[in-house]
Amino acid sequence: MTKGQFPTDKFQQLQTPFYYYDAELLRKTLQTINEEAGKHEGFVVHYAVKANANPQLLRIIRQAGFGADCVSGGEIEASLKAGFPASKIVYAGVGKSDWEINLGLDNDIFCFNVESIPELEVINELADRKNKIARVAFRLNPNVGAHTHANITTGLAENKFGIAMRDMMSVIEEAASMKNIKVVGLHFHIGSQILDMGDFEALCNRINELQNELERHRIIVEHINVGGGLGVDYQHPNRIPVPDFKAYFDTYAKKLKLYPGQTLHFELGRAVVAQCGSLITRTLYIKKGALKQFCIVDAGFTDLIRPALYQAYHKIENITSEEPAQTYDVVGPICESTDVFAKQIDLNCCHRGDLLAIRSAGAYGEIMASQYNCRRLPQGYISDDI
Ligand SMILES: *Cc1c(COP(=O)(O)O)cnc(C)c1O
């Protein structure tokens, strides 16, 4: 969507700040994923619900045939409610509580991605009480770095996620002795906002080595799950609205050695939903300080925390002004100095009442909203409905 394509007339009736989702772009993105993944035998795509659990988005994603990747019981519930079949739900997380495991067992989800032996023991015990066999994949920590923000790498030995590689064989052997556990896969996830295909290649190489070792022990699992992590272009949401899924899936097709019948699962979050969402906020005041001018808006980090949390960049546009640009710091109303969306950026001259679009906010935006300062949670609207 380019500037000017926002339905600004309709926006005038809505209480700001709010999230606006371009359903057409989401459908196009999903279609591209299905086309590119569909070129490769055995590729299965799940949507990482934690990126955005807006019920309308979930429904569109489910209609496109995706599975769901959940990291909590609440996400399993949201996925089931949106119509995802339990047979396409995977459940990962370092700290699964008993009720969450029971929920997964009761619904016969496709797979638990297990991150430790103590967790495996609890799943075995809870499955035993229900007379069920839990399907599990082991989340291994491949010790592969990713060229992304340090707070969002997950596949290094120092991160809390996954089981160390050297423990792989003993974990698999231990699982084989548990009567209510069936090992069906291996799971990995090295981080987020990854744009260097070399990082995914490094993961493929590591998995190939592991699979060779397993083969020596005559073990071939049903599926490999490589997680998500594909990044988006936050600088150019208009020019590159759909990430390069072709390069992404082709990298795995070329570099990862699958055994006959093995399926390859993906869990994409950000790349699916980031570009279709914008946070729409209204300009409250223009304040001219001694050194700079501030555009004070009614959205804050309670609505979109990424800039405050990771110094993340989001492109911002004034969607109701065509006046010559001026330079602003765009800041929110929250009583914290980190409540800043951008510093020293050019915007078409802003006046009280102007609407700004904070772009590429569909992932890790609405879902991370909080009520700090007793603020209201932002609403989400989808273009189909307004
Ligand atoms: C967060 C997460 C994902 C999705 O990551 P994106 O970078 O949004 O694609 C996938 N799998 C697991 C296990 C995750 O924790």
Side-chain angles (χ1 to χ4, degrees):
M1 181 182 309
T2 55
K3 184 174 157 168
Q5 287 183 298
F6 285 101
T8 46
D9 291 350
K10 290 175 181 156
F11 284 179
Q12 298 299 346
Q13 283 116 57
L14 303 174
Q15 178 69 52
T16 51
F18 61 86
Y19 277 90
Y20 174 72
Y21 299 107
D22 178 350
E24 203 182 311
L25 177 56
L26 176 60
R27 290 196 183 93
K28 190 174 155 202
T29 305
L30 295 167
Q31 192 191 338
T32 307
I33 295 171
N34 277 335
E35 275 170 21
E36 294 302 333
K39 289 177 183 167
H40 308 291
E41 172 104 21
F43 281 26
V44 180
V45 184
H46 301 259
Y47 167 63
V49 174
K50 77 172 189 282
N52 192 324
N54 179 295
Q56 284 166 294
L57 297 193
L58 286 185
R59 217 157 283 134
I60 292 173
I61 294 165
R62 185 260 297 164
Q63 281 163 0
F66 285 46
D69 161 42
C70 300
V71 293
S72 72
E75 286 189 357
I76 295 174
E77 288 170 336
S79 302
L80 291 169
K81 204 164 161 204
F84 286 91
S87 61
K88 288 188 179 180
I89 292 178
V90 297
Y91 175 26
V94 285
K96 301 177 185 73
S97 62
D98 291 16
W99 78 265
E100 294 176 305
I101 294 168
N102 281 326
L103 180 70
L105 290 169
D106 288 340
N107 286 285
D108 289 316
I109 60 168
F110 171 65
C111 187
F112 291 87
N113 291 335
V114 169
E115 306 216 10
S116 68
I117 297 238
E119 177 193 334
L120 185 70
E121 286 165 352
V122 171
I123 294 175
N124 184 47
E125 189 187 316
L126 295 176
D128 184 29
R129 277 189 221 156
K130 293 180 187 292
N131 243 330
K132 295 207 171 202
I133 307 287
R135 284 174 298 275
V136 309
F138 288 114
R139 178 170 181 173
L140 297 172
N141 187 325
N143 198 18
V144 168
H147 295 94
T148 184
H149 193 283
N151 289 3
I152 50 177
T153 67
T154 55
L156 284 173
E158 69 194 42
N159 295 128
K160 70 178 174 182
F161 299 100
I163 295 166
M165 303 245 289
R166 61 167 195 282
D167 298 336
M168 176 180 72
M169 279 316 302
S170 59
V171 171
I172 290 176
E173 274 160 22
E174 181 140 3
S177 71
M178 295 182 179
K179 80 177 185 8
N180 296 83
I181 295 288
K182 180 174 187 217
V183 178
V184 294
L186 298 178
H187 177 232
F188 307 83
H189 175 66
I190 57 172
S192 200
Q193 185 52 20
I194 297 167
L195 290 165
D196 181 347
M197 293 303 128
D199 291 341
F200 297 122
E201 258 185 70
L203 174 61
C204 291
N205 294 338
R206 194 55 57 85
I207 296 173
N208 292 340
E209 290 164 20
L210 282 174
Q211 291 236 80
N212 283 339
E213 189 184 336
L214 287 176
E215 194 187 0
R216 282 198 293 277
H217 293 85
R218 299 206 172 70
I219 298 168
I220 294 176
V221 292
E222 290 170 16
H223 78 266
I224 302 291
N225 181 334
V226 290
L230 178 63
V232 303
D233 192 332
Y234 282 98
Q235 315 286 329
H236 306 107
N238 298 329
R239 197 152 21 103
I240 311 180
V242 180
D244 192 351
F245 293 108
K246 177 173 169 43
Y248 176 73
F249 290 117
D250 286 356
T251 298
Y252 280 102
K254 223 177 280 161
K255 301 291 173 185
L256 191 72
K257 188 169 158 275
L258 289 178
Y259 289 92
Q262 239 179 7
T263 53
L264 183 59
H265 293 237
F266 299 86
E267 304 168 332
L268 292 168
R270 187 190 312 272
V272 181
V273 290
Q275 296 292 31
C276 76
S278 295
L279 176 61
I280 307 297
T281 181
R282 197 176 287 279
T283 305
L284 294 173
Y285 306 106
I286 304 300
K287 175 160 119 174
K288 297 193 197 284
L291 298 172
K292 35 168 96 169
Q293 59 180 347
F294 296 96
C295 177
I296 303 170
V297 297
D298 62 3
F301 73 53
T302 51
D303 305 294
L304 176 65
I305 201 173
R306 299 189 66 258
L309 192 62
Y310 312 128
Q311 296 80 48
Y313 172 83
H314 286 266
K315 188 179 171 68
I316 304 179
E317 294 168 346
N318 183 339
I319 57 173
T320 51
S321 165
E322 293 294 338
E323 291 178 36
Q326 293 195 18
T327 304
Y328 301 92
D329 279 15
V330 179
V331 302
I334 295 167
C335 303
E336 296 281 344
S337 300
T338 53
D339 190 29
V340 174
F341 288 112
K343 287 187 175 166
Q344 297 299 102
I345 59 156
D346 288 346
L347 291 173
N348 293 105
C349 183
C350 293
H351 302 281
R352 175 173 167 80
D354 281 355
L355 293 176
L356 306 189
I358 305 180
R359 303 291 306 275
S360 314
Y364 307 107
E366 183 181 356
I367 193 72
M368 286 183 128
S370 76
Q371 292 185 300
Y372 180 51
N373 284 188
C374 291
R375 285 167 58 80
R376 293 180 187 164
L377 291 173
Q379 289 284 310
Y381 299 99
I382 191 153
S383 56
D384 286 347
D385 290 350
I386 68 168

